[in-house]
Amino acid sequence: MGLVWKKTDGTSGLAGTTVEQQISQVRVWLSEEFGIRVLAFDALTSKVVKGLKRRRKTALGMMHTPEVTYRFKQRFWESQNTTMSRLHQDMDSMRFLMLRRISEMAATQGHNDRYLLDCNVTFEGSIKVWCFWPITKNSRNLSRAIDATCSSFFHRMVRRSEENKKFLALNPQFDEKRLPFFHLSGRPIHRREIEKEVKCVMALAFAQEPAVGHLDPALYRYNTHSDRKGGAIWMLDTIRGSEFYVRYMGDWKSLAFYLYGRVSRKSAALIEHSLSNALNSLFSS
């Protein structure tokens, strides 16, 4: 278990979130390299992290991205119409609609070999786009698709694929087997750049439209998991019986899935309605 000291206001203290990230990296390494599932026998480290966060008493609750905020971000980046804004728009859709982790589309500390490559994106005619990752946090050789019913995102994926082909033709020094699908002049975008931009746009959304459902960034902690969590909650809210689909799309292997895609009042109401119909049918015969 890695413990990291952090200087704060002239005093030394353990930062719970940082310790949590270090522990996660060790767990992933042990799982991938040696097949050791630490969580199967370790009940202590999670309690240590929880205690550190309580000790600091400064941790904000994790933000999820409401659907109204997702739409605001999409409109904002579309109006900017720059290379960078289009990157943010497309990666944001992949996190919210495909429930992908940030390491599966961008460079992150310790996981620079997981982001989606251009050569691993294929199109099933004009019906689906398939994305393939040789390795992710939970899986190897993972494939997930988005179909043409997500028309805007689907067509933007097509456009990005075509732009990448043109980029490779104009820049033969780049290896076509190593080009990131989401890139700026051939290099992957880093997680830090994405979080900085999204925080600014979410603050703008709350400032411009404070009464329509955006969460106050001063009261919640945003990171790139917030979009994945928001997408899961939106699907549970609006699609009856979507729990298995959400778990499949997000590649959750355990009940940790419910920490991101929680059952909301809306999704519970959908289930209750279906249960009511089933019970009426059962007792009416």
Side-chain angles (χ1 to χ4, degrees):
M1 182 176 76
L3 295 178
V4 180
W5 289 94
K6 183 177 181 182
K7 292 279 188 179
T8 307
D9 299 327
T11 61
S12 295
L14 286 170
T17 303
T18 306
V19 173
E20 185 177 39
Q21 291 172 348
Q22 297 296 318
I23 290 172
S24 176
Q25 289 179 17
V26 172
R27 285 173 178 163
V28 171
W29 176 71
L30 287 171
S31 175
E32 293 179 351
E33 297 296 325
F34 304 102
I36 300 173
R37 303 286 182 179
V38 177
L39 287 175
F41 57 83
D42 172 30
L44 178 62
T45 51
S46 296
K47 293 179 181 179
V48 171
V49 170
K50 208 174 277 186
L52 290 171
K53 290 181 178 178
R54 287 174 181 168
R55 181 172 175 265
R56 290 180 62 83
K57 297 180 181 178
T58 57
L60 297 175
M62 171 67 73
M63 175 185 282
H64 75 275
T65 302
E67 60 176 298
V68 65
T69 308
Y70 169 72
R71 290 197 303 268
F72 181 96
K73 289 187 294 177
Q74 291 290 305
R75 290 195 304 268
F76 175 81
W77 285 318
E78 187 172 9
S79 70
Q80 297 294 299
N81 195 30
T82 65
T83 300
M84 197 65 194
S85 70
R86 289 192 292 272
L87 277 167
H88 282 301
Q89 185 182 16
D90 293 352
M91 288 189 289
D92 189 62
S93 290
M94 180 164 276
R95 294 192 300 276
F96 191 88
L97 297 177
M98 292 187 73
L99 309 181
R100 302 322 317 150
R101 298 177 180 88
I102 188 63
S103 59
E104 295 162 12
M105 66 192 74
T108 60
Q109 185 176 358
H111 299 305
N112 286 332
D113 58 343
R114 294 183 180 177
Y115 54 75
L116 183 65
L117 298 177
D118 179 67
C119 64
N120 288 333
V121 177
T122 56
F123 293 87
E124 189 178 322
S126 58
I127 302 172
K128 286 185 178 181
V129 55
W130 285 93
C131 300
F132 171 77
W133 290 268
I135 184 170
T136 68
K137 179 182 177 181
N138 286 340
S139 299
R140 292 182 182 272
N141 301 323
L142 180 77
S143 291
R144 291 294 183 268
I146 194 85
D147 65 34
T149 55
C150 293
S151 57
S152 174
F153 182 40
F154 179 84
H155 292 305
R156 282 187 279 120
M157 292 285 280
V158 172
R159 180 182 66 189
R160 184 160 299 282
S161 179
E162 292 172 348
E163 289 175 352
N164 286 346
K165 288 182 175 65
K166 293 177 183 178
F167 176 85
L168 287 169
L170 293 172
N171 298 274
Q173 70 273 24
F174 284 92
D175 183 354
E176 64 179 10
K177 298 295 185 183
R178 298 303 309 161
L179 181 71
F181 186 69
F182 302 107
H183 68 91
L184 188 65
S185 300
R187 70 169 181 86
I189 313 302
H190 197 278
R191 174 181 187 157
R192 289 190 300 270
E193 299 174 74
I194 297 169
E195 285 196 349
K196 182 179 179 180
E197 169 69 9
V198 175
K199 285 178 181 178
C200 289
V201 179
M202 294 184 92
L204 180 66
F206 184 77
Q208 290 188 357
E209 303 174 347
V212 301
H214 302 298
L215 298 179
D216 184 352
L219 301 179
Y220 296 90
R221 178 170 58 90
Y222 170 83
N223 67 20
T224 46
H225 272 299
S226 300
D227 304 314
R228 171 172 151 91
K229 180 179 180 179
I233 292 171
W234 171 72
M235 289 182 189
L236 288 172
D237 278 352
T238 56
I239 307 169
R240 183 179 302 171
S242 62
E243 292 84 357
F244 290 110
Y245 175 79
V246 170
R247 187 174 185 180
Y248 161 79
M249 280 299 288
D251 190 33
W252 280 288
K253 297 298 184 185
S254 70
L255 293 180
F257 149 77
Y258 282 104
L259 295 178
Y260 295 130
R262 66 174 185 260
V263 176
S264 66
R265 289 185 178 182
K266 287 183 180 179
S267 61
L270 284 172
I271 296 169
E272 288 164 2
H273 180 72
S274 297
L275 178 61
S276 175
N277 289 340
L279 288 171
N280 288 336
S281 174
L282 175 65
F283 292 111
S284 63
S285 58

